[in-house]
Amino acid sequence: MEAINVANITKRYGDIYALEHVDLNFEAGKIYGLLGRNGAGKSTLLKAMTNRIFPDDGVIYLNDQPVMENDEVLHQMYLMSEEDMYPKSMKVKDVFHWTDEFYGCFNMEKAKELAKKFELNINKKVKDLSTGYQSIYKLIIALSLNVPYVFLDEPVLGLDANHREMFYKLLLETYMEKQQTIVIATHLIEEIANLIEEIIILKNGKVIVNQPIEDILAAGYSVSGLAKDIDTYCEGKHVLGYDVLGGLKIAYIMGEVDKTSLKDTMEINPLNLQKLFVELTKKEGEI
Amino acid sequence: MEAINVANITKRYGDIYALEHVDLNFEAGKIYGLLGRNGAGKSTLLKAMTNRIFPDDGVIYLNDQPVMENDEVLHQMYLMSEEDMYPKSMKVKDVFHWTDEFYGCFNMEKAKELAKKFELNINKKVKDLSTGYQSIYKLIIALSLNVPYVFLDEPVLGLDANHREMFYKLLLETYMEKQQTIVIATHLIEEIANLIEEIIILKNGKVIVNQPIEDILAAGYSVSGLAKDIDTYCEGKHVLGYDVLGGLKIAYIMGEVDKTSLKDTMEINPLNLQKLFVELTKKEGEI
């Protein structure tokens, strides 16, 4: 079932196209990974989807209703992002209170329980929180709101490894329970690879990948071995890129595994999402 | 050869011990990973080592010279951290200039070349840079300074995957060339696992791990399989923790691999540094 329909969205800032003719569908009850380099348009897209900015062209629909200035629709969505929706001098517990007032579907008990788990003091003012806790209090809101659409823009910025792992587990639990539509934009790609079902990659404001994660990972493979063997093996193949470690070389290849010209000293492995992303979005001059 | 000697350092903030009787040696020409939860004392230690804060107790020596208010010693060290050493209204190129004035060993040509690689506009003011570029301009300084001691506190905060990978490669190149002593404090543990030789873990201001990375990873293993089989297998063993995925279970175990009670359906794997860290530093009530 199609839930959100992004129809031919374009957004310019001066001469720069932040988004250019973007068409996307987000189905209900799925978890999406929204990936892209810094500046690729991820945050712009999420802000347009939640009516925080207006596209220059195109329309975004939630269940066939345009999201633009549509309160009923906006009450069904929560966007967690770097921006604060309330004054930074407000205490965390008051942010919880006003979020509840606005949405009317905030589970305060769960929020307080999560604050304990993360050791967040909700009597603190937002501005006095560290980088990690600036993220954590918003994550708690995202996990405690009973809205069907949750968008997370860099949810784990500044979190230590334990808190990141705990968040991924809690997000999955919440998803199992509520079957929400979740979109995660993050630079920590490998960490969400097991969490997401669908993957969207933006590059310079355009969609370059939009498919189930299994499909894209199954579309290629990596092969490692002695540099000269790898060079020979790769001839005529669709090579995304290489890594070199001393005399060894790893090639990232799209297409089916070709076993005919494989040597015993060479090793085939599945593609890794982060590596695939890096190769697909590399710019000229980057090593 | 011992280069930096941290001798019985204690630092309190009010009632809280940020560091408590910390003893550490950093040998010349090695790369160290300095790991810990948010608030474990990593930044405090790095700031004490570079004379930005003063310990309440203990002394830090660089080649037998105390670092405290010792200009000659401090000119040999660079600490990259969240704090800015210059006004945020300064342009990046002027920060480069003043860094050169202070240290007298800044490779301006290399810095400009790196700025191109990272697409950093050095005519921008520091305050106008995004989170990622706030890190990047400091990374460029760290890579371009010819000092023997480089300390990096959360070097890749806000960087996309491509820029992170490029930074790790450049850091290794610089290290190969200059054989500096490098200390990296980061939450992205798995990404630096192949980069570091020695690992130090702080927990609540105390050192709980201080050894070569190979040694700690070889000190244990993980075993996965059906939950009931894993429970039986783990009896009497030193289990750090578990992960549960439906009916499957993974146990993280210290000690030599016990193959006698292993079933065909169970799988043994090496420990992963990030996972090991999470289990060693988990707090009560965390999942």
Side-chain angles (χ1 to χ4, degrees), chain B residues 22-228:
Chain B
V22 169
D23 283 307
L24 285 170
N25 287 318
F26 294 87
E27 291 173 47
K30 281 196 173 179
I31 307 186
Y32 290 82
L34 175 62
L35 308 181
R37 303 285 307 261
N38 270 324
K42 303 184 300 295
S43 300
T44 305
L45 176 62
L46 293 176
K47 283 191 251 181
M49 285 165 68
T50 48
N51 196 46
R52 293 202 194 165
I53 59 167
F54 306 124
D56 297 313
D57 218 343
V59 185
I60 297 169
Y61 302 93
L62 186 130
N63 296 324
D64 301 327
Q65 300 282 311
V67 301
M68 198 188 276
E69 298 186 14
N70 184 334
D71 267 2
E72 200 192 317
V73 160
L74 293 174
H75 277 73
Q76 298 181 53
M77 302 172 152
Y78 177 72
L79 166 60
M80 177 230 172
S81 75
E82 225 184 321
E83 288 162 40
D84 291 287
M85 289 292 103
Y86 296 97
K88 274 185 163 295
S89 59
M90 208 182 246
K91 287 181 182 173
V92 173
K93 64 175 180 187
D94 295 324
V95 176
F96 287 178
H97 170 76
W98 288 109
T99 305
D100 188 22
E101 288 284 319
F102 179 80
Y103 282 100
C105 59
F106 185 72
N107 187 338
M108 187 66 81
E109 208 175 317
K110 181 171 180 182
K112 286 184 177 167
E113 191 190 300
L114 291 176
K116 262 192 204 143
K117 266 200 172 47
F118 281 103
E119 296 188 311
L120 166 67
N121 179 354
I122 63 172
N123 290 310
K124 272 202 175 179
K125 290 178 180 173
V126 168
K127 68 179 162 79
D128 295 333
L129 300 175
S130 66
T131 310
Y133 278 100
Q134 296 270 356
S135 301
I136 285 171
Y137 92 88
K138 292 173 193 161
L139 291 181
I140 291 177
I141 295 175
L143 293 167
S144 307
L145 263 179
N146 291 314
V147 289
Y149 303 94
V150 176
F151 308 123
L152 306 162
D153 194 0
E154 288 300 333
V156 296
L157 190 76
L159 266 66
D160 61 36
N162 310 54
H163 278 162
R164 295 202 303 277
E165 196 177 281
M166 190 154 87
F167 166 65
Y168 300 134
K169 282 181 188 167
L170 291 165
L171 185 68
L172 211 53
E173 275 179 31
T174 308
Y175 169 76
M176 294 298 205
E177 189 190 314
K178 304 182 197 164
Q179 292 291 319
Q180 298 157 302
T181 305
I182 300 174
V183 183
I184 311 173
T186 183
H187 290 312
L188 300 195
I189 297 171
E190 209 40 42
E191 293 196 347
I192 60 154
N194 290 324
L195 208 63
I196 60 179
E197 301 167 71
E198 301 280 329
I199 178 157
I200 296 163
I201 302 181
L202 294 180
K203 187 175 178 178
N204 300 328
K206 290 178 189 151
V207 178
I208 61 163
V209 169
N210 180 13
Q211 60 185 133
I213 182 166
E214 301 128 44
D215 292 3
I216 189 166
L217 291 181
Y221 60 102
S222 75
V223 54
S224 54
L226 292 171
K228 61 177 174 49

